[in-house]
Structure formats: structure tokens, C-alpha cells
Amino acid sequence: MIKKSKKTPWPTKKAMEQVYDLKLWGGTANNFYSGDGSHALEITMPYIKEVTSFLKSFKAPISVCDLGCGDFNIGKQLIKFTKEYTAVDIVTDLIAYNKKQFKEEKVSFLCKDLATDTLPKADCALIRQVLQHLSNKEIQSIVTKLYQYKYVILTEHIPDGNFKPNLDIISGQGIRLKKQSGVNLLLPPFNFKVKEAKQLSVVSSKKHKGIIITYLYKVF
């Protein structure tokens, strides 16, 4: 059993460290690998296409904060369309690895717990298949911090068809799909208030079950 840290009220950090240490999402001994959600082309290409289009729609590049950047296989393809790119993850060794691998001037990597730490400022926040791994208490803590961003691009793996949203889980490798549930920030208990909501992409995969859906929220 993973023990809770005195500094962190939830066991997320140790759970995510375990995922990478034990290669639960794949990878080899010499690298970090954030799973199919960050590498399978049928999942990543629609996302990259739509987010790139959004970023290119501005006359002047905007700043982006990637909340839960993982192995940065996605982020590295978006850098050139931004003013500056801040990549955040909870796993210390993963952030150290990314700093060595990616040294573009626009990019900075920070190790932070999204639920307990102050989040970097930016015009837009990307949260790609992160909240689905977290408990409702952690998600609620993160939601209160999202109001500082003008735009939030959120990706979640949810059941295909009708489902009961936002059933609680213990933070870790798994997601709510096993409970026939998924995260919807606009519904209770989160009630994230936005001015506009737009679906950017939806990917259906028999291999991964359910659908992977991305929304663009305009917050203010």
C-alpha cells in the first residue's frame, strides 16, 4: 500500500512515480514512457492537429502551461506555435529527464503537484488525460486554480454512450472507465464555470475502449 506523504494529502506523487519506475505504461529501462495516450497515432494526431490549429489562430503567439506533461512527446510538437511553454509534472525524475532531452529556449520544466502547488501563469492550460487518474478532491482543488487561465484545453478518456459522470476513485494508474464513469468538469461536484465550450476532437478505439474527447473551454 502506498503511504500518504506528510506534505501531500493524497498519494498521487508516489503512485505516479511507481507507474514510471515499474514501466506500467510501457517503455524501457533507459527512458520514460507515458503510454499509448501520448504515443498511439490514432490518439495523438487528431489532438495535435486541433490544438495546433487553435494556437495558430492568434495573431501573436500565446503562452501555454502543460499541466501533466508526461514524457513530452505531445508537447514537443506544439512548442513552435507558442510564445512560451511551461511543462509541469509531479514526477521529479521525469522532469529531470525532460530537461536533459528538450532544451528549446521557449520551454521550461517544473515539478509540481497540480492539486497542492501554485500553478504557473499562462494564457492557456493543457490538461491531457490527467484528471481521469485523480480523486475528486484533487480535481476540485485543481479546478479552483484553472480560473487564472483564459483558455483550458481538456482531454478525458470516458465511456462511449451514457454514463454516470465523476464517480470518485483513488488516485493512481487506473481511471473511472472501470466504473462506467468519466470526468466532466462542468457537472457536479466540480461545476467548472466557463463562458464557452467547444469540442475539438473525439477518438474512438476498440483497443482502449470508450472514447478520448478533447474540449476547448474559454474561461474569461
Side-chain angles (χ1 to χ4, degrees), residues 74-207:
I74 300 296
K76 69 182 183 182
Q77 302 178 66
L78 301 174
I79 298 170
K80 62 182 177 181
F81 305 110
T82 68
K83 178 182 178 181
E84 58 182 6
Y85 198 108
T86 306
V88 179
D89 206 279
I90 197 171
V91 179
T92 305
D93 289 345
L94 173 60
I95 289 296
Y97 176 83
N98 285 344
K99 284 181 177 179
K100 293 180 180 179
Q101 296 294 117
F102 308 100
K103 298 182 179 180
E104 288 84 349
E105 290 183 3
K106 290 183 181 180
V107 181
S108 59
F109 292 96
L110 300 174
C111 186
K112 287 181 176 289
D113 184 321
L114 304 185
T116 62
D117 293 334
T118 300
L119 302 183
K121 293 181 180 180
D123 298 309
C124 176
L126 307 180
I127 317 176
R128 189 180 53 81
Q129 292 183 254
V130 173
L131 302 185
Q132 62 195 40
H133 293 287
L134 304 182
S135 69
N136 282 1
K137 284 187 177 180
E138 284 177 282
I139 294 175
Q140 187 62 69
S141 178
I142 294 167
V143 166
T144 62
K145 305 174 189 182
L146 296 182
Y147 290 101
Q148 68 177 300
Y149 303 105
K150 186 172 184 178
Y151 303 98
V152 173
I153 298 179
L154 177 72
T155 305
E156 290 293 326
H157 192 168
I158 62 176
D160 190 3
N162 295 327
F163 64 93
K164 187 171 182 179
N166 304 330
L167 294 181
D168 204 3
I169 61 170
I170 296 173
S171 299
Q173 178 190 8
I175 64 175
R176 290 165 176 77
L177 210 61
K178 294 180 179 180
K179 292 187 173 185
Q180 191 60 22
S181 182
V183 174
N184 186 329
L185 285 192
L186 305 186
L187 298 179
F190 311 124
N191 300 309
F192 185 42
K193 305 299 181 184
V194 301
K195 291 198 175 289
E196 296 177 18
K198 177 184 178 182
Q199 181 180 306
L200 291 185
S201 67
V202 58
V203 175
S204 179
S205 172
K206 291 183 179 180
K207 176 182 177 181

